[in-house]
Amino acid sequence: MTVLEVRALYKGFGGVQAVAGIDFDVAAGELLAMIGPNGAGKSTCFNILNGQLRPDGGSVRLAGREIAGLPPGHISRLGVGRTFQITATFGSMTVAENVQTALIAHHRDLAGLWRPAASLHRAAAMALLERVGMAAQADRACGVLAYGDLKRVELAVALANDPMLLLMDEPTAGMAPAERVELMALTAEITRERNIAVLFTEHDMDVVFGHADRIIVLNRGALIASGTPQEVRANRRVRELYLGESVEAER
Amino acid sequence: MTGQIVVQFLTGLAGAASLFLVAAGLSIIFGVTRIVNFAHGSLYMLGAYIAYSLTERLAVGTIYGFWVSVVLAALAVALIGAAIEIAILRRIYRAPELFQLLATFGVVLVVQDAALWIWGPVDLMGPRAPGLDSSVEIMGQRLPEYDLALIVISPLVLGLLWLLFYRTRWGILVRAATQDREMVGALGRNQAWLFTSVFFVGAFLAGLGGAIQLPKGGADLLIDLNIIAAAFVIVVVGGMGSITGAFLAAILIGELQAFAVLLLPESTLVIMFLAMAVVLVVRPWGLLGRPVAEHAAGRAAEPLLRPPGRTQRMIWGAVIACLLTLPLIAEDFTLTLSIEIMILALFAASLHFIMGPGGMVSFGHAAYFGLGAYGAALLATKLDTPMELALLAAPAIAGAGALVFGWFCVRLSGVYLAMLTLAFAQIAWSVVFQWYELTGGEDGLLGIRRTPWADSRIVFYYLVLAACGVAIYAMRRMIFAPFGYAVRAGRDSRLRAEAIGIDTRRFEWMAFLIAGAMAGIAGGLYVYSKGSVFPDEMSIPRSVDGLVMVLLGGVQTLSGPLFGAAGFTWLHDAISRLEYWRFILGGTIIGLVLAFPEGLGGIWRQLEDWVRRRRAVARQAKP
């Protein structure tokens, strides 16, 4: 089942076409990696999908519904979870409260003025934390966690709105190699058991080729290749793009 | 007609001169040190006073003597500015930004009383500038010659500043620091020296501004806060850290005021702040400003906010028990003071509500206190509304004001938001001040009587205790309810909050509304405790009182602001009969900021940490 359907997406900044007509799909339970050199248009594409940018043209459909140009909060409520390249959590709350806040937002209980929030959705939050291996630290302040743990909390927060699509911007940036593999294995496990579609960008090729089901390759705003890791690895244009450039650089 | 317009235009340009000088200094200081220097108006005032004394002594009546006095006065003020930086601000650069603000307000108070002591309470008439003491005729209209000098001075100073910033090493450093302070630190430049010199230059401009307007406006003890409000407006309209922006904004405001006098003399105060509000909504970072990176590294992580523990609850129980039994033992005087403390504690708690959990600093929270107070007072005096109804209407009126002002404010953040709140408070204040027929202007509204059943001081005491208690408790519940989490989420990480579907701006707006309404309750009660209301209740000093209470109490704790309010109100009352009470108050504020950069509420936390460490040591000592 196709969860995300992107068609003929365009976005320009001044004279630069950052995204110049991109099409791709992500299916439920699938991990799709979006790669490409710096300036290929990955971030722009991502920010259109999560609602921070409005595209100049094209369509973004989530489960058949057009979401291009909607504000981030609205897109979130339609079932999109996100993690950020630099983790974004609530520092004045505990780990559990971070997840609880996301759950409260998801259940639209935010306007409550009287009942303490600490008791709301606590069990569900603990279950999510259990799933990402952070239950033992549930009552610690988010501000004092190790970076790898923070990434796990973010994953739990991103799962709180029961998303059908998870957008992960450089999920393993800033982590040690061993931690990267662990986090991606955990992500793959969880998203498969919940049948969530995942789109992630990543610079670490080991992570990409080790965990993605499919890969799309962007260069200068255009899609130059897509397919399974094997297909992409064998693709001549991709090899030129990556190897060619590195050869250039070495000269 | 054309002549009148031309001359009025020139008058506007002349009026812009000292506005530009003050604002440029404020802007440079903010750009480099990120300090909103409330004391900048005081430096301006000192410039005027010192120039007055110098012109009296130095060769009266000579052109040379006058201008030398002006420059010497500016230099003296520059030295004072540098001394303030070295003695006070340098010690607290690591403290939260707002504490620096607080310290500068302490300086405002100290300077006010120092000026009172040195120059006395009488307004001083400035001397005519020798050689420029008559007027010229332009298209049949007369324009003072001195205005022409003023018109020449601002572009001249702008040019000199440009040379200073673009043609000297120091200027390059200042511009670099304005754009990226951490980077300059990383380059190994001597920051302390840079900051002091920036204060020197900024204070020089303020002093010069004060000195050159002496022949037009003279010197008095109120010009410090009057000019600081105007300077804030110009800096914000022009764009923080942009000198050219300040220049354009000063001309814009100067012209608006010059023509407002012609068309609608009552509107001069309002028009300046309206212009600011319009510019900020259209260009949130001012005419030539750039967005300030708010959440750049260096912003201290917020500590965990926990519901009160058992010890704290027991302390609160004891406090409430004391408050309940107080009327049985206390004298009238103590009861009156306690009533005021409770009302201001509610005011402080409502300010803390948006500042702490909301993360929105308000420089103008007195607006809502004043709206509640004037709302209740007008209902009582003009419509004979009974007290009960007027007290209920107060939060509604204040809340309505907060709803309108808040809509604009939440579109900005950080220091721009703070300045906009100040602008709105000044609009409200100037309406009350200038609309004499309705509000009685400076004379206030008098003779507001309590309903007979609440006439006795003891009954009113319990009424205030109940109202303030319930309101403060309600705000605490909200902070720990989902609403409070949503607001706090937006403060901690807007990006994440939006990503999980929280409409952060809406929640900020709602927090603004609630805080405004709560301040309105306090304002209404205040009117019935005093029986009168004056424009002072919504002036800048009242807003700053609130900031002092919250910040001294500790913005990161919930009970801190309440204790801050109690301590501040008590101290204020204890010293306000002394002649130089501002000096004592300002000195106390500066001393406290230097001693406890975390606030008085922080003492509690430090004590807790100490006890915990002692216990841990004791536990380890046991075998």
Side-chain angles (χ1 to χ4, degrees):
Chain A
M1 188 195 106
T2 306
V3 173
L4 183 71
E5 214 179 283
V6 175
R7 290 290 175 272
L9 202 61
Y10 280 91
K11 177 76 190 176
F13 298 103
V16 185
Q17 270 299 329
V19 172
I22 292 179
D23 309 83
F24 63 88
D25 295 338
V26 194
E30 178 187 43
L31 264 75
L32 178 69
M34 183 195 284
I35 64 170
N38 286 332
K42 300 186 303 271
S43 296
T44 306
C45 189
F46 235 72
N47 285 336
I48 293 172
L49 299 185
N50 62 36
Q52 278 175 323
L53 286 177
R54 184 184 286 276
D56 297 339
S59 96
V60 179
R61 285 173 179 277
L62 181 73
R65 181 175 172 165
E66 184 62 49
I67 61 165
L70 294 180
H74 196 153
I75 290 179
S76 155
R77 283 193 288 274
L78 292 175
V80 178
R82 287 166 64 189
T83 67
F84 298 94
Q85 183 173 356
I86 299 166
T87 54
T89 53
F90 308 130
S92 72
M93 302 181 196
T94 63
V95 169
E97 285 173 341
N98 265 271
V99 184
Q100 279 172 279
T101 305
L103 286 163
I104 290 169
H106 174 53
H107 289 100
R108 302 185 183 218
D109 294 333
L110 285 168
L113 289 171
W114 202 252
R115 236 180 102 201
S119 55
L120 291 174
H121 306 293
R122 170 90 187 173
M126 289 308 290
L128 277 171
L129 287 173
E130 188 72 53
R131 191 63 195 85
V132 299
M134 283 298 294
Q137 306 197 55
D139 291 318
R140 292 187 72 194
C142 237
V144 302
L145 293 184
Y147 197 65
D149 289 342
L150 219 46
K151 290 269 184 189
R152 287 165 186 271
V153 175
E154 241 205 343
L155 182 58
V157 168
L159 292 171
N161 66 342
D162 204 6
M164 51 179 135
L165 172 70
L166 194 56
L167 298 174
M168 303 177 87
D169 193 6
E170 302 268 342
T172 69
M175 297 175 83
E179 277 185 313
R180 293 180 181 205
V181 174
E182 257 177 61
L183 183 78
M184 285 316 289
L186 178 70
T187 306
E189 221 177 276
I190 293 175
T191 51
R192 272 185 200 124
E193 76 192 23
R194 299 182 182 216
N195 213 23
I196 299 172
V198 180
L199 174 68
F200 69 104
T201 62
E202 183 58 63
H203 271 114
D204 184 333
M205 288 304 132
D206 291 339
V207 169
V208 170
F209 285 94
H211 297 279
D213 297 317
R214 270 191 322 122
I215 301 171
I216 55 177
V217 188
L218 264 55
N219 189 33
R220 293 183 188 162
L223 197 76
I224 61 162
S226 75
T228 63
Q230 290 78 11
E231 287 166 2
V232 167
R233 191 177 274 141
N235 186 299
R236 200 174 51 82
R237 292 182 68 187
V238 176
R239 294 178 76 94
E240 262 170 25
L241 180 66
Y242 275 85
L243 296 176
E245 274 188 1
S246 69
V247 171
E248 292 276 295
E250 274 163 26
R251 240 180 245 161
Chain B
M1 188 62 205
T2 335
Q4 200 181 10
I5 290 176
V6 169
V7 166
Q8 211 58 33
F9 180 78
L10 293 174
T11 309
L13 282 184
S18 44
L19 289 177
F20 162 63
L21 292 179
V22 179
L26 191 68
S27 193
I28 294 170
I29 291 178
F30 175 82
V32 175
T33 65
R34 291 286 181 271
I35 286 183
V36 179
N37 183 21
F38 249 112
H40 212 67
S42 307
L43 296 170
Y44 170 88
M45 181 174 77
L46 284 178
Y49 272 116
I50 295 173
Y52 177 87
S53 295
L54 286 174
T55 48
E56 292 245 291
R57 283 168 186 73
L58 290 172
V60 188
T62 68
I63 298 176
Y64 180 72
F66 175 81
W67 291 105
V68 166
S69 305
V70 165
V71 173
L72 281 181
L75 276 174
V77 173
L79 288 174
I80 294 171
I84 291 171
E85 197 275 339
I86 292 170
I88 301 169
L89 296 173
R90 178 173 294 183
R91 294 162 204 278
I92 50 172
Y93 281 128
R94 280 159 199 274
E97 274 177 21
L98 289 169
F99 265 75
Q100 301 158 355
L101 183 85
L102 203 55
T104 63
F105 195 74
V107 173
V108 169
L109 294 172
V110 169
V111 170
Q112 260 177 5
D113 268 358
L116 173 66
W117 184 62
I118 299 172
W119 288 282
V122 183
D123 293 0
L124 301 177
M125 277 279 286
R128 291 277 186 89
L132 295 169
D133 45 8
S134 62
S135 55
V136 289
E137 202 180 290
I138 296 171
M139 300 169 82
Q141 301 277 328
R142 303 203 72 80
L143 183 76
E145 282 176 346
Y146 191 68
D147 277 11
L148 293 175
L150 289 179
I151 291 170
V152 175
I153 285 176
S154 20
L156 201 67
V157 171
L158 180 67
L160 288 174
L161 284 175
W162 189 87
L163 286 177
L164 189 62
F165 283 120
Y166 288 87
R167 289 288 178 268
T168 68
R169 249 192 111 58
W170 182 82
I172 293 170
L173 272 181
V174 168
R175 282 188 296 134
T178 305
Q179 277 170 21
D180 192 338
R181 189 152 60 128
E182 281 160 48
M183 198 57 215
V184 172
L187 289 173
R189 287 288 156 189
N190 186 342
Q191 268 200 2
W193 175 83
L194 182 67
F195 281 23
T196 310
S197 61
V198 159
F199 253 88
F200 183 88
V201 172
F204 179 87
L205 291 171
L208 189 62
I212 60 162
Q213 68 79 48
L214 186 65
K216 292 199 79 174
D220 63 70
L221 292 167
L222 294 175
I223 53 175
D224 54 349
L225 286 183
N226 287 341
I227 195 78
I228 196 68
F232 277 1
V233 170
I234 287 161
V235 169
V236 168
V237 168
M240 286 279 179
S242 165
I243 307 291
T244 319
F247 182 74
L248 293 178
I251 290 176
L252 175 72
I253 300 291
E255 292 301 340
L256 275 175
Q257 284 193 315
F259 284 100
V261 169
L262 275 192
L263 303 173
L264 200 69
E266 298 85 23
S267 69
T268 47
L269 289 172
V270 176
I271 202 122
M272 176 161 72
F273 296 102
L274 273 181
M276 169 174 172
V278 169
V279 168
L280 281 188
V281 169
V282 181
R283 287 190 63 92
W285 293 283
L287 294 174
L288 298 181
R290 289 204 204 102
V292 186
E294 293 287 343
H295 296 283
R299 186 170 181 266
E302 294 290 339
L304 213 51
L305 190 64
R306 303 262 40 111
R310 223 179 59 202
T311 331
Q312 242 192 323
R313 259 185 270 158
M314 269 158 63
I315 293 175
W316 273 114
V319 169
I320 291 168
C322 286
L323 288 174
L324 282 171
T325 48
L326 190 73
L328 306 179
I329 48 170
E331 300 156 32
D332 275 1
F333 163 74
T334 315
L335 274 193
T336 307
L337 179 61
S338 304
I339 287 172
E340 191 167 344
I341 285 180
M342 290 189 292
I343 291 172
L344 291 177
L346 174 57
F347 175 57
S350 71
L351 175 59
H352 174 261
F353 191 77
I354 44 171
M355 270 178 73
M360 296 177 283
V361 179
S362 171
F363 286 177
H365 202 54
Y368 312 106
F369 186 82
L371 280 176
Y374 268 94
L378 283 173
L379 284 175
T381 53
K382 308 281 166 186
L383 298 174
D384 285 322
T385 312
M387 181 183 87
E388 296 86 339
L389 215 60
L391 282 181
L392 286 177
I397 293 164
L403 203 66
V404 175
F405 293 164
W407 187 87
F408 292 95
C409 291
V410 299
R411 273 155 180 73
L412 304 177
S413 62
V415 76
Y416 286 94
L417 185 153
M419 302 258 169
L420 190 59
T421 58
L422 181 103
F424 280 129
Q426 284 300 95
I427 291 177
W429 176 82
S430 41
V431 167
V432 164
F433 194 81
Q434 290 185 329
W435 197 351
Y436 187 83
E437 296 78 35
L438 184 71
T439 62
E442 236 179 319
D443 302 334
L445 295 167
L446 307 169
I448 300 143
R449 304 195 65 87
R450 299 201 277 264
T451 308
W453 64 263
D455 199 35
S456 111
R457 206 185 304 267
I458 292 182
V459 173
F460 189 66
Y461 172 89
Y462 281 115
L463 177 69
V464 170
L465 176 60
C468 294
V470 168
I472 290 170
Y473 179 69
M475 278 190 282
R476 296 186 138 231
R477 291 289 303 214
M478 289 176 203
I479 288 170
F480 288 106
F483 174 83
Y485 276 74
V487 171
R488 204 138 53 89
R491 175 198 68 177
D492 283 0
S493 171
R494 189 179 288 269
L495 198 62
R496 168 50 74 196
E498 298 273 344
I500 59 173
I502 297 176
D503 186 347
T504 52
R505 203 175 263 180
R506 210 189 71 191
F507 278 94
E508 284 177 344
W509 193 25
M510 289 302 112
F512 217 93
L513 166 68
I514 291 169
M518 292 294 182
I521 296 178
L525 290 169
Y526 191 81
V527 163
Y528 280 98
S529 79
K530 299 275 172 187
S532 59
V533 62
F534 299 96
D536 283 358
E537 300 318 332
M538 52 208 311
S539 62
I540 295 178
R542 171 63 84 200
S543 290
V544 175
D545 285 353
L547 282 171
V548 173
M549 295 172 200
V550 171
L551 294 171
L552 279 188
V555 71
Q556 291 167 340
T557 59
L558 291 183
S559 17
L562 305 180
F563 291 113
F568 179 85
T569 312
W570 171 81
L571 179 70
H572 199 288
D573 183 80
I575 62 175
S576 60
R577 274 170 290 277
L578 303 173
E579 197 180 354
Y580 294 107
W581 64 272
R582 285 190 194 85
F583 193 91
I584 303 173
L585 187 63
T588 312
I589 291 173
I590 294 171
L592 286 174
V593 168
L594 291 179
F596 306 107
E598 275 188 55
L600 296 183
I603 300 176
W604 174 251
R605 195 176 297 149
Q606 281 165 9
L607 210 68
E608 270 185 342
D609 285 350
W610 182 76
V611 170
R612 209 171 294 141
R613 270 201 306 275
R614 284 296 296 261
R615 280 200 195 133
V617 170
R619 225 175 290 132
Q620 278 174 358
K622 275 184 205 156

